[in-house]
Amino acid sequence: MASSEHVTFSHSHLAIGGVVRLLCAVRLVVVGLAVVVAALDGEVAIGIWIALLASPFSFVPALNWRPRGDVYARSATLLAADLVVAVVVMVFLSGSQLMAVYAAATVALWSLLVGPRLALVMVIPVCLVLVGWLDPEDPWGWVLGLAAAAGAAVLAGCGHALGRGLRRQERLAVELGETKAQRATAAERLRLARDLHDTVAGDLAGLTLSMAALRRRVEAAGVDEETVHLARSIEAAVCTTHQDTRRALGELREAAEPTSDVVRSLAGRWQRRTGTPVDLSLDLPAGDDGRSAHLRAVLQELLENVRKHAEAGAVTVVITTGPSGELHLTVEDDGVGFAVPDDARDGCFGLQGIRERVAACGGSVRWERRARGGTVVHASFVHEPRADLVEVG
């Protein structure tokens, strides 16, 4: 399953954990009652042997389903062993209503763990045992046997539907949590941007004006050239700091906006600054995720490469969403052409940063020189970036 339709949800076993533990508890109760019945019938040894054989297949999953449930659900060996043990237990309980209870709990448990087809295959031995339990001489024996078999098959289907519903509910809960976290992060970024604008940015703006006035007074006072140079250097440093702060504030606000709006704004500013028209086509999912910041940074770097190297007359930017949710970015220009070797490393920090960002999202990037001139860059962003990613750029 997935936290979204295109991301593998590695903890789907947690969604069915409560039901699995309940069904395992039912099987343990049935085994315990079977031991009591066997003791009353004078078959204590057989009862204990059956309990020792069957109990681990219910007790162990119920005890540590959270850390190991995914292993139990995927292990064909454990499922096959549980099938054999279940048949043995049902044969031992033959003629008792406990057999029907154990069979129902076991079929429901299997159908939660495996697909519907495999569940039906595993139910076949259970159905055969149920049919064998009935008296073939009884006119209604075969009818009841077929009804029991059909009931087991229906129970398998219902169990699978229940498991699918629980997993879907868990997936939706994860998506809701991610959406809330993204909104909270965006709100916090906006708050920080406002606070910095009202405090640091405002103070720096005033300091910039003050330093300009101080520099003019120093120049007019006819002081030595070293002092004038120092005043000019301080003024330049304050202006640079003010510009960097405003740029950081803009990035904070952009990070809180939808990716589609940021991309349109980025392309528009680049077009106005360079005079090169940008043909933009977007097909983005409704919500943003961890890939958004990397996609924006890669697009910005690719556009800067076009400005610096391509001498292009037009640029085309296409962002699409693949069938599995992956994001595809294509930037094409009609410039002089710019081919990047696969081993480009030293001195190409921008290109290296692009590769690192794309790789962190499980994707790839490649540059192609067009036959008629210009360059096409294809980049893909498959999944959420690694948690251990060191920020680059």
Side-chain angles (χ1 to χ4, degrees):
M1 307 304 290
S3 58
S4 62
E5 290 300 329
H6 59 279
V7 180
T8 300
F9 181 44
S10 60
H11 300 293
S12 63
H13 68 282
L14 299 179
I16 61 174
V19 180
V20 168
R21 283 189 287 269
L22 175 61
L23 294 174
C24 288
V26 171
R27 297 206 307 178
L28 286 172
V29 170
V30 171
V31 171
L33 292 175
V35 173
V36 174
V37 173
L40 294 177
D41 293 340
E43 300 178 346
V44 179
I46 298 179
I48 294 177
W49 182 81
I50 290 295
L52 293 176
L53 178 66
S55 295
F57 289 92
S58 296
F59 178 76
V60 174
L63 182 65
N64 61 357
W65 182 259
R66 176 174 290 274
R68 302 289 294 172
D70 56 339
V71 177
Y72 300 148
R74 293 197 305 264
S75 175
T77 302
L78 291 177
L79 289 173
D82 192 33
L83 172 59
V84 173
V85 171
V87 171
V88 172
V89 173
M90 290 177 62
V91 171
F92 173 73
L93 297 174
S94 181
S96 169
Q97 292 181 347
L98 293 176
M99 182 184 74
V101 176
Y102 192 90
T106 300
V107 169
L109 179 61
W110 291 341
S111 60
L112 283 174
L113 305 181
V114 302
R117 295 181 180 178
L118 180 56
L120 290 176
V121 172
M122 296 178 69
V123 165
I124 292 176
V126 175
C127 294
L128 293 177
V129 175
L130 289 173
V131 172
W133 171 41
L134 301 171
D135 185 4
E137 301 298 332
D138 188 340
W140 290 97
W142 289 105
V143 176
L144 293 176
L146 292 176
V154 171
L155 183 61
C158 292
H160 176 72
L162 174 62
R164 184 173 56 187
L166 290 173
R167 290 183 175 95
R168 183 183 299 112
Q169 184 179 18
E170 179 75 9
R171 182 171 66 248
L172 292 175
V174 170
E175 292 176 351
L176 180 60
E178 291 175 350
T179 301
K180 288 183 177 180
Q182 291 169 5
R183 290 178 178 175
T185 301
E188 181 65 15
R189 284 170 172 166
L190 286 175
R191 186 190 67 79
L192 287 174
R194 286 193 298 267
D195 291 347
L196 289 173
H197 179 271
D198 296 338
T199 56
V200 177
D203 293 343
L204 284 174
L207 185 59
T208 300
L209 296 176
S210 298
M211 284 305 306
L214 178 61
R215 186 257 308 161
R216 288 194 295 269
R217 287 192 178 187
V218 168
E219 291 175 342
V223 299
D224 59 279
E225 184 63 27
E226 184 177 352
T227 302
V228 173
H229 177 72
L230 179 61
R232 289 172 180 171
S233 299
I234 295 175
E235 180 189 11
V238 171
C239 289
T240 301
T241 303
H242 185 219
Q243 293 171 357
D244 291 342
T245 302
R246 291 181 60 85
R247 186 180 303 109
L249 291 177
E251 292 175 355
L252 275 175
R253 287 189 172 275
E254 282 190 350
E257 297 177 357
T259 298
S260 56
D261 294 346
V262 175
V263 168
R264 291 189 180 94
S265 177
L266 190 157
R269 290 199 306 270
W270 188 86
Q271 178 173 306
R272 290 190 296 271
R273 183 158 59 96
T274 62
T276 304
V278 178
D279 182 11
L280 182 63
S281 176
L282 298 180
D283 177 22
L284 287 168
D288 291 345
D289 56 32
R291 298 173 295 178
S292 302
H294 295 287
L295 186 147
R296 302 171 188 177
V298 168
L299 174 59
Q300 183 171 2
E301 183 65 27
L302 290 176
L303 288 176
E304 283 302 294
N305 286 340
V306 172
R307 180 185 66 83
K308 295 175 182 177
H309 308 292
E311 302 178 9
V315 177
T316 300
V317 176
V318 179
I319 302 177
T320 58
T321 303
S324 299
E326 68 276 12
L327 300 179
H328 298 283
L329 167 65
T330 301
V331 177
E332 181 177 0
D333 67 74
D334 60 354
V336 297
F338 178 63
V340 179
D342 293 337
D343 58 350
R345 289 293 185 271
D346 298 336
C348 301
F349 298 111
L351 302 182
Q352 185 176 348
I354 291 175
R355 286 196 173 98
E356 290 172 348
R357 288 183 180 277
V358 171
C361 297
S364 60
V365 59
R366 71 180 188 275
W367 284 259
E368 298 177 357
R369 188 190 298 271
R370 299 194 314 177
R372 60 182 182 278
T375 304
V376 183
V377 184
H378 302 278
S380 61
F381 304 79
V382 179
H383 55 63
E384 293 273 358
R386 297 192 313 268
D388 62 342
L389 174 69
V390 177
E391 189 65 27
V392 294

